[in-house]
Amino acid sequence: MEYVLTTKSLCKKYKDFKALDHLDMHVPKGSIYGFVGKNGAGKTTLIRLITGLQYPTEGEYLLYDTDSRDPKINKVRRRMGAVVETPSLYLNLSAVDNLKQQYGILGLPDYSGLQELLKLVGLEDTGKRKVKDFSLGMRQRLGIAVALVGRPDFLVLDEPINGLDPQGIIEIRELILKLNREYGITVLISSHILDELSRLATHYGFIDHGRMVKEISEAELSAACRKKIRVKVSDLAAFSRVLEMLKLRYEIVSDSEADIYDEIAVTDLVNEANTVNCRILTVKDQDESLESFYLNLVGGGADHD
């Protein structure tokens, strides 16, 4: 698999505090990578390192196979656009003039593609209206447009829907999906709104106390979180024969429990179990969400900024 970003034992230390502790991370090319962690877990620190705003204490990272210590890394970073924390915008300028400022910063020879960018983020009709009069969602979309100046193929977004109203969230979601599916842009999203992230991400990285706890694809996560019923029985061997006879998909999880992945009425299950002298002791529905999966990984409360 080809990776846009790889980190190897990446560390960032502030005096006695380790913000990143030997972090290993892999962002596949073409993915929407959801970066999940509690407040202070190290998400923004990672983003600051890869965008060149800060430097690692130890370890390394690769952008498109270029080592972070290679002098060419600054040139490679031109392939990456980022919105870190809140968009850096000129509030007294229009959307057009904000983009022109970024064109100038990057040393681009002309403004080709500027109107296309505005249309892409739905701001083509804002005219001379100043950014200070924009809604939060409009500012976020303009921030993404600024990050896309220079046509990067890797976009890094730090909490892109934080504070947005439902309509703003939908607009950002649709924009991210369009950038990924139609333009082939790889997207790394740090977010604490896990329900929304589950509508976007193709891959996930779960971070806790600066360490990567688990990386998993959306397909693997769906399999781990699929709806099931957990049945505890008096005789697992006999119960397994019943499940085989009924041609149900199941998994043995302990010496007395099995998970069933097909729908079946509990009364039918009890009746069939009785035919082999097996008693059903408990039946529990289990339909794990992204949030519960994450909390099971790292433990603790739901403070996952």
Side-chain angles (χ1 to χ4, degrees), residues 8-260:
K8 300 179 180 180
S9 293
L10 195 63
C11 299
K12 181 62 179 178
K13 195 173 182 182
Y14 301 99
K15 294 185 178 180
D16 295 327
F17 174 67
K18 276 189 175 180
L20 293 180
D21 187 6
H22 295 89
L23 182 78
D24 292 323
M25 182 177 181
H26 309 81
V27 178
K29 183 179 179 181
S31 67
I32 298 178
Y33 187 103
F35 196 32
V36 182
K38 294 179 183 178
N39 184 34
K43 304 189 303 297
T44 300
T45 299
L46 180 277
I47 291 173
R48 287 182 169 275
L49 293 185
I50 65 174
T51 53
L53 296 175
Q54 295 179 355
Y55 297 95
T57 308
E58 296 176 47
E60 61 181 324
Y61 62 86
L62 303 176
L63 276 176
Y64 293 99
D65 295 324
T66 300
D67 193 292
S68 55
R69 297 164 294 190
D70 190 314
K72 294 195 290 288
I73 190 66
N74 287 329
K75 184 178 180 180
V76 175
R77 279 202 193 100
R78 299 289 288 269
R79 298 181 63 178
M80 174 173 57
V83 181
V84 184
E85 295 176 303
T86 56
S88 298
L89 301 171
Y90 298 94
L91 298 182
N92 286 316
L93 297 182
S94 66
V96 168
D97 288 337
N98 265 273
L99 289 178
K100 286 181 177 179
Q101 289 288 329
Q102 185 66 6
Y103 273 75
I105 290 169
L106 295 179
L108 298 176
D110 56 49
Y111 299 134
S112 61
L114 189 152
Q115 290 300 324
E116 181 187 346
L117 268 179
L118 285 175
K119 187 175 181 180
L120 177 64
V121 300
L123 297 174
E124 69 272 26
D125 296 325
T126 54
K128 295 182 179 180
R129 185 178 169 190
K130 293 181 179 180
V131 171
K132 66 180 181 181
D133 298 321
F134 283 13
S135 69
L136 191 59
M138 291 170 70
R139 292 186 191 186
Q140 194 66 270
R141 283 184 278 134
L142 179 57
I144 292 174
V146 170
L148 292 172
V149 171
R151 300 183 183 274
D153 47 15
F154 180 30
L155 183 62
V156 178
L157 302 175
D158 190 10
E159 300 284 358
I161 59 173
N162 203 17
L164 299 187
D165 60 24
Q167 181 60 34
I169 290 173
I170 291 170
E171 290 169 353
I172 294 296
R173 181 205 309 158
E174 291 177 348
L175 175 58
I176 291 170
L177 289 172
K178 184 173 186 177
L179 292 172
N180 178 254
R181 294 172 180 175
E182 296 183 23
Y183 292 80
I185 294 175
T186 304
V187 187
L188 169 63
I189 306 175
S190 160
S191 181
H192 72 282
I193 305 177
L194 302 188
D195 178 61
E196 183 60 31
L197 198 58
S198 68
R199 302 169 190 260
L200 291 167
T202 62
H203 294 76
Y204 296 89
F206 298 95
I207 184 175
D208 190 42
H209 293 96
R211 285 182 172 269
M212 185 64 73
V213 180
K214 191 175 188 65
E215 288 188 300
I216 190 170
S217 71
E218 190 277 332
E220 292 168 328
L221 182 65
S222 293
C225 295
R226 60 183 170 170
K227 191 171 183 179
K228 60 192 176 186
I229 58 171
R230 179 159 294 179
V231 185
K232 187 173 184 179
V233 296
S234 61
D235 186 339
L236 188 63
F239 189 62
S240 297
R241 293 197 298 273
V242 169
L243 297 176
E244 291 288 345
M245 181 193 68
L246 295 174
K247 297 182 179 179
L248 296 174
R249 291 174 297 164
Y250 71 95
E251 180 181 3
I252 302 301
V253 293
S254 75
D255 58 1
S256 62
E257 294 175 307
D259 287 340
I260 301 174

